[in-house]
Amino acid sequence: MPTGVLLHDPALLERRDLLDGILAAATLSIEIARLRVEVRLQLAEVHASRARIVEAGYEERRRLERDVHDGVQQRLVSLGMRIRRLQRSLPREAGILRPALDQIVGEVGSAIADLRQIAAGVRPARLDDGLAAALQDLARVSPIPVKVETPIGRVAPSVEAAAYFVACEALTNAVKHASATKVALRAVRENGALHVSVSDDGVGGAVARRGSGLAGLHDRVAAHGGTLEIL
């Protein structure tokens, strides 16, 4: 878009004030163009930096999930097995200890279950098999029927994790707040982009309030250059 028109008139050469004005306008236009380029470069760096932070966070969650599974969880499983072996080796006259040992083993089992839930919240191990498999598992444990459509291949692991948590939060809202009786979950790739939609027959009215799970999903999706729409 042109910023001005310059007409040559020899008589104006003696008008120093006009020449100074033209020079100032040209200088301003050049400076504006330079600033626009600088802003675009800074925005590109912000997006790249955000992507690096997201990827680093994803790798840290994977490391934590492995540590929980291979470390504390395995030690608790081993402890439970040792208590069971001890329980079976007790003499008959020590039977009074069996109820207490049963309770201890039960508490160990509860701790293992809690750890598995924590690890799943950090990053579901099922995502190792892809987003489609993880969403199918999510539908199977849902308290209401979920129709799943996932004709997708693999995408970036951090994107799969973000999409999974979007589906989790949407399904939770449908059950807890929308009084839905059925849900449709769809994940497809269109024009190279991943599209995830969750619809239900509930009352609706979800709002992404500050500090809510939906607001957190906005940030998670935006970090991957995506958008989250709540209808």
Side-chain angles (χ1 to χ4, degrees), residues 18-166:
L18 291 179
L19 293 177
D20 290 343
I22 292 171
L23 180 60
T27 301
L28 180 60
S29 296
I30 293 172
E31 180 64 13
I32 290 174
R34 185 189 68 80
L35 290 174
R36 285 176 175 170
V37 171
E38 185 176 320
V39 168
R40 283 197 293 269
L41 291 175
Q42 289 177 349
L43 285 176
E45 176 56 29
V46 168
H47 289 309
S49 176
R50 186 169 62 179
R52 290 193 296 269
I53 291 172
V54 169
E55 190 63 30
Y58 173 77
E59 291 301 326
E60 181 62 19
R61 288 193 295 272
R62 289 199 67 177
R63 184 195 64 77
L64 180 58
E65 186 266 334
R66 288 194 299 267
D67 288 348
V68 169
H69 180 272
D70 298 336
V72 180
Q73 180 176 311
Q74 292 303 319
R75 291 176 64 183
L76 285 174
V77 170
S78 177
L79 176 61
M81 294 174 64
R82 290 170 63 186
I83 294 173
R84 282 301 187 198
R85 285 197 296 268
L86 174 63
Q87 189 179 34
R88 287 194 294 268
S89 66
L90 287 174
R92 182 173 300 178
E93 56 271 20
I96 191 173
L97 297 176
R98 295 184 187 280
L101 292 174
D102 283 337
Q103 182 178 358
I104 293 173
V105 172
E107 290 176 356
V108 170
S110 296
I112 293 173
D114 289 343
L115 276 175
R116 285 173 176 165
Q117 286 187 340
I118 292 172
V122 173
R123 180 191 172 277
R126 193 70 164 102
L127 278 174
D128 289 341
D129 298 323
L131 178 60
L135 293 180
Q136 292 287 351
D137 277 2
L138 183 63
R140 274 193 290 271
V141 299
S142 171
I144 61 176
V146 179
K147 180 182 178 182
V148 181
E149 181 184 354
T150 56
I152 54 175
R154 298 302 301 266
V155 295
S158 58
V159 173
E160 289 184 334
Y164 176 83
F165 286 115
V166 166

